[in-house]
C-alpha cells in the first residue's frame, strides 16, 4: 500500500469518530505545528497590542498567510488562511477535509495560550479540503 492510500484510509477512519475523539487525535500535532513559530509570533503581536485581540487583528490581520476580522468586538472573530498552509496537504499526504480539524485545533491552542481561562469555540466555516476557496473559522470568545 502506498502512502497516499494509507493516509486517505486513516483520515477517513478518523472522520468516522466522534468530534471529541477527533480533537484528541489532532491536538498534539496541531500544538507541535504552531508552538515554536506561529504561537511565538502571535504572542508577540498580542502583547504589543496590549493583550487585545481586536487591536492585534486590526494591526496584523492581513498578511499573505493569515487574515482576521473582528465580527463582534471582544467576542466574535473570523480568522483563516487564503490557502491551505498545511505541509501534510502540500506534500500530498492528506486530501480529506477531516484533516482540517488540525487547523481548528491549532487556532484553539493559540487562543487558549493567549487567553487562558476564557471559553473559546472555533467553528470551521470553509476549508480548501472541503472545496472552499480558502480556510475560514469563526472564533467565539466567552
Amino acid at each position: 500500500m502506498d502512502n497516499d492510500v494509507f493516509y486517505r484510509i486513516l483520515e477517513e477512519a478518523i472522520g468516522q469518530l466522534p468530534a471529541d475523539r477527533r480533537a484528541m487525535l489532532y491536538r498534539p500535532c496541531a500544538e507541535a505545528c504552531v508552538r515554536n513559530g506561529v504561537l511565538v509570533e502571535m504572542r508577540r503581536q498580542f502583547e504589543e497590542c496590549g493583550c487585545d485581540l481586536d487591536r492585534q487583528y486590526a494591526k496584523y490581520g492581513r498578511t499573505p498567510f493569515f487574515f482576521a476580522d473582528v465580527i463582534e468586538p471582544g467576542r466574535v472573530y473570523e480568522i483563516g488562511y487564503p490557502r491551505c498552509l498545511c505541509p501534510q496537504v502540500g506534500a500530498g499526504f492528506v486530501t480529506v477535509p477531516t484533516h482540517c480539524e488540525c487547523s481548528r485545533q491549532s487556532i484553539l491552542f493559540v487562543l487558549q495560550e493567549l487567553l487562558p481561562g476564557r471559553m473559546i469555540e472555533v467553528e470551521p466555516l470553509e476549508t480548501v479540503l472541503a472545496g472552499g476557496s480558502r480556510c475560514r473559522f469563526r472564533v467565539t470568545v466567552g
Side-chain angles (χ1 to χ4, degrees), residues 52-54 70-77 115 118 139-142:
D52 182 324
L53 281 182
D54 295 359
V70 177
I71 305 302
E72 184 182 318
R75 186 167 143 55
V76 181
Y77 306 91
L115 302 167
R118 302 283 300 271
V139 173
T140 305
V141 177

Side-chain angles (χ1 to χ4, degrees), residues 42 46 49-60 68 70 74-75 77 110-111 114-115 118 120 139 141:
M42 290 295 188
F46 186 66
C49 293
C51 298
D52 182 324
L53 281 182
D54 295 359
R55 288 177 50 203
Q56 179 183 2
Y57 293 163
K59 184 171 184 176
Y60 294 106
V70 177
R75 186 167 143 55
Y77 306 91
V110 168
L111 291 173
L114 298 180
L115 302 167
R118 302 283 300 271
I120 300 166
V139 173
V141 177

Side-chain angles (χ1 to χ4, degrees), residues 45 55-63 66-69:
Q45 293 174 6
R55 288 177 50 203
Q56 179 183 2
Y57 293 163
K59 184 171 184 176
Y60 294 106
R62 287 283 179 265
T63 75
F66 174 78
F67 61 84
D69 294 311

Side-chain angles (χ1 to χ4, degrees), residues 38-141:
V38 172
L39 175 59
V40 172
E41 177 59 16
M42 290 295 188
R43 181 174 278 130
R44 184 198 68 74
Q45 293 174 6
F46 186 66
E47 290 172 356
E48 177 189 309
C49 293
C51 298
D52 182 324
L53 281 182
D54 295 359
R55 288 177 50 203
Q56 179 183 2
Y57 293 163
K59 184 171 184 176
Y60 294 106
R62 287 283 179 265
T63 75
F65 306 104
F66 174 78
F67 61 84
D69 294 311
V70 177
I71 305 302
E72 184 182 318
R75 186 167 143 55
V76 181
Y77 306 91
E78 185 176 300
I79 65 176
Y81 321 103
R83 58 186 170 76
C84 182
L85 300 174
C86 176
Q88 299 302 315
V89 173
F93 292 127
V94 179
T95 60
V96 296
T98 301
H99 192 75
C100 300
E101 177 63 23
C102 190
S103 286
R104 191 183 84 78
Q105 287 298 318
S106 68
I107 292 166
L108 187 58
F109 171 67
V110 168
L111 291 173
Q112 287 172 335
E113 289 290 307
L114 298 180
L115 302 167
R118 302 283 300 271
M119 292 299 299
I120 300 166
E121 294 177 19
V122 179
E123 171 193 0
L125 299 174
E126 169 186 15
T127 67
V128 172
L129 289 178
S133 62
R134 57 190 176 158
C135 299
R136 296 184 310 128
F137 297 85
R138 181 181 182 90
V139 173
T140 305
V141 177

